[in-house]
Amino acid sequence: MKADLIVGLQWGDEGKGKMVDLLAQKYDFVVRYQGGHNAGHTIVIDGDKYALHLMPSGVLNPKAKNIIGNGVVVFPEQIIKEIKQFDNMQDRLFISSKAHLILDYHIEIDKAKEAAKGDKAIGTTGRGIGPCYSDKISRNGLRVGELKDPQKLMRKIEEHYIANKDLFKTLGLDAPNYEAIRAKIEHFKSELEGYITDTTALIYKTIEEDKKMLLEGAQGTLLDIDHGTYPYVTSSSTVAAGACIGTGLSPKDIGTVTGIIKAYCTRVGNGPFPTEDFGADGDRLAEKGHEFGTTTGRKRRCGWFDAVAGKFAARINGCDDLAVMKLDVLDGLKEIKICVAYEIDGKTVTDFPDELGLVKPVYETLPGWEKSEGARKWEELPKNAQQYLLKIEKLVGVKVSMVSTSPDRNDTIVL
Ligand code: IMP
């Protein structure tokens, strides 16, 4: 049995949480493979809201088991908090011993470095993601499995502080309180030890036993460390290929890849965003779409659907189908713009360029519609909404298989 995958095709916040939650009903396992508590999924079920950051979204299906793969960076305090929201997680959550630990100093470094960058700041979530992945890549990281031996882990932490004394000083960070850190590590061990395991072996077993597995991407393709709008990106491989690295699966183990794409575009933090709308339409999208970060509460920048970026993202991930999210947020607009190409140096291009900050969007304008909200069948959609979706399908080059028309799990059209 191959593992299916869902991946965001924009700058994150596409609505992956709702889709994973919906799809998780059909899967035995849901797996996170990259990122950390910079992610934020809001899931609404019968009016009740759940905000998840680290926990795979399968948690709301009592039958699904949840895996935090080796590619994830884990802030122990956060996962402990999320575990406590649910009953009986013992047999339902497995954390890779090879995932990396985010400790307080990663968070402090993240914030201090951002502050030092001034107007060149990336606009990170301040969750220590970049510093933790930097330590991993420079082979100075601390892995979740090391929590099993707090004494040894403490020695490594002390060595790390000593080796990086100058950096901590330059960034104006306090000297470490080893006693406080030791107490935390002991606490993390006692709370998490029962969940830590070799998830790669578990995943192989799952595949061999023909269990159904869903791989859940966090953030989005345009925030990928290699393929995104560097340096305004996150520090992990957010694209589908990242799922192999972040779990131990081979490319041959991946089945259907579903791209999650919002009916318009948003971005949090800094960096180029060609279709950003600075006027009343942008404000309207932010307000109607509740475009405020689940993790940081920051207002998201909003704009029109960018089909050039969408096509690029669909190609990189090898998408088989698309789930178009938040169509209802466009309800009531007289006209809707869609970016079909970019203009750069007087030339029109339809490839996604490195110099995204220099492009101007080329728009087509489509007629709006009154109400799509709550539609559960294609026939219930206004004609113009159908035309808009068909246009997205044509420009991105991938069939639309699902459309979301409200935050509720049930307001979804499956085609
Ligand atoms: P970091 O991942 O906290 O290092 O932030 C790097 C960039 O990715 C910033 O622009 C963040 O706003 C953005 N980012 C990180 N996680 C998410 C997410 O889950 N949704 C949207 N943007 C994100």
Side-chain angles (χ1 to χ4, degrees):
M1 179 72 76
K2 290 183 190 278
D4 295 331
L5 189 149
I6 70 132
V7 60
L9 299 189
Q10 293 156 321
W11 281 285
D13 309 314
E14 295 92 352
K16 294 181 291 294
K18 169 173 166 173
M19 270 305 145
V20 183
D21 167 58
L22 187 72
L23 296 174
Q25 309 307 312
K26 297 192 304 193
Y27 288 87
D28 303 304
F29 281 83
V30 179
V31 187
R32 274 281 304 268
Y33 55 84
Q34 45 71 228
H37 67 312
N38 50 345
H41 292 323
T42 309
I43 297 170
V44 183
I45 301 169
D46 298 331
D48 289 331
K49 259 192 190 178
Y50 300 85
L52 304 176
H53 297 276
L54 259 173
M55 186 72 84
S57 307
V59 70
L60 296 168
N61 168 9
K63 287 194 216 114
K65 298 191 191 259
N66 301 275
I67 296 178
I68 295 182
N70 58 276
V72 176
V73 285
V74 177
F75 183 49
E77 276 155 85
Q78 182 62 35
I79 193 67
I80 291 169
K81 199 158 111 192
E82 291 184 29
I83 288 170
K84 289 193 192 310
Q85 285 183 72
F86 303 98
D87 297 330
N88 292 332
M89 286 309 293
Q90 198 48 64
D91 291 326
R92 297 187 54 219
L93 175 67
F94 305 89
I95 306 175
S96 169
S97 52
K98 289 190 269 188
H100 276 246
L101 283 172
I102 297 184
L103 297 182
D104 290 337
Y105 64 80
H106 292 116
I107 294 174
E108 287 163 21
I109 294 174
D110 191 1
K111 289 182 179 159
K113 282 196 168 173
E114 279 286 274
K117 278 190 175 149
D119 62 3
K120 296 209 171 52
I122 292 163
T124 71
T125 58
R127 298 296 192 263
I129 305 296
C132 183
Y133 277 115
S134 300
D135 280 355
K136 170 178 171 173
I137 299 301
S138 67
R139 292 156 293 180
N140 291 304
L142 305 169
R143 308 219 273 193
V144 170
E146 294 181 80
L147 283 175
K148 291 188 174 177
D149 186 347
Q151 277 199 353
K152 198 164 158 207
L153 181 56
M154 268 317 291
R155 275 200 302 281
K156 278 183 81 173
I157 293 172
E158 286 174 28
E159 281 164 21
H160 187 81
Y161 268 115
I162 292 163
N164 292 282
K165 209 167 58 241
D166 293 344
L167 171 72
F168 285 100
K169 207 166 148 203
T170 312
L171 292 173
L173 304 181
D174 291 341
N177 175 342
Y178 290 124
E179 269 328 295
I181 300 175
R182 194 182 307 278
K184 276 196 177 186
I185 298 288
E186 291 287 356
H187 171 64
F188 298 158
K189 175 185 155 100
S190 69
E191 293 283 335
L192 296 178
E193 197 170 14
Y195 300 100
I196 302 171
T197 189
D198 177 352
T199 53
T200 308
L202 175 65
I203 284 171
Y204 290 162
K205 191 162 163 271
T206 305
I207 294 263
E208 274 156 22
E209 286 174 355
D210 268 354
K211 297 257 167 58
K212 293 192 77 184
M213 193 184 310
L214 182 65
L215 304 163
E216 171 183 13
Q219 288 84 47
T221 300
L222 306 178
L223 288 171
D224 182 84
I225 185 74
D226 285 276
H227 303 287
T229 48
Y230 194 88
Y232 298 99
V233 291
T234 190
S235 298
S236 64
S237 297
T238 60
V239 294
C244 292
I245 296 167
T247 58
L249 286 169
S250 85
K252 289 178 188 158
D253 293 317
I254 308 291
T256 302
V257 177
T258 300
I260 313 293
I261 199 157
K262 200 146 58 174
Y264 53 97
C265 260
T266 60
R267 174 162 206 170
V268 214
N270 298 328
F273 179 4
T275 62
E276 182 167 8
D277 188 289
F278 298 95
D281 286 334
D283 287 343
R284 187 180 180 284
L285 292 173
E287 200 180 312
K288 189 136 194 264
H290 306 290
E291 297 293 357
F292 296 87
T294 322
T295 301
T296 58
R298 287 182 291 178
K299 183 169 184 273
R300 297 178 186 140
R301 299 154 64 192
C302 293
W304 303 106
F305 187 87
D306 184 339
V308 181
K311 189 170 163 214
F312 164 77
R315 173 74 183 83
I316 268 208
N317 293 295
C319 289
D320 295 292
D321 58 350
L322 294 181
V324 179
M325 311 304 292
K326 292 183 128 178
L327 183 71
D328 54 297
V329 174
L330 300 176
D331 287 2
L333 284 169
K334 278 216 154 35
E335 290 182 328
I336 297 170
K337 289 200 276 188
I338 186 162
C339 169
V340 295
Y342 298 143
E343 223 176 77
I344 182 164
D345 292 336
K347 286 192 208 114
T348 304
V349 296
T350 50
D351 286 331
F352 193 70
D354 277 350
E355 316 80 10
L356 195 66
L358 303 178
V359 309
K360 271 207 201 135
V362 177
Y363 287 116
E364 271 185 30
T365 302
L366 277 72
W369 57 87
E370 213 40 61
K371 185 169 181 253
S372 70
E373 191 186 347
R376 295 182 181 184
K377 289 196 189 115
W378 177 259
E379 304 77 58
E380 288 171 18
L381 287 175
K383 272 274 158 305
N384 288 346
Q386 294 178 352
Q387 290 307 321
Y388 183 70
L389 292 167
L390 293 173
K391 184 84 184 174
I392 288 179
E393 189 170 85
K394 185 154 176 253
L395 290 168
V396 174
V398 179
K399 72 171 192 291
V400 173
S401 65
M402 281 173 284
V403 183
S404 169
T405 58
S406 102
D408 198 282
R409 190 194 261 172
N410 302 313
D411 292 337
T412 310
I413 299 169
V414 181
L415 297 165

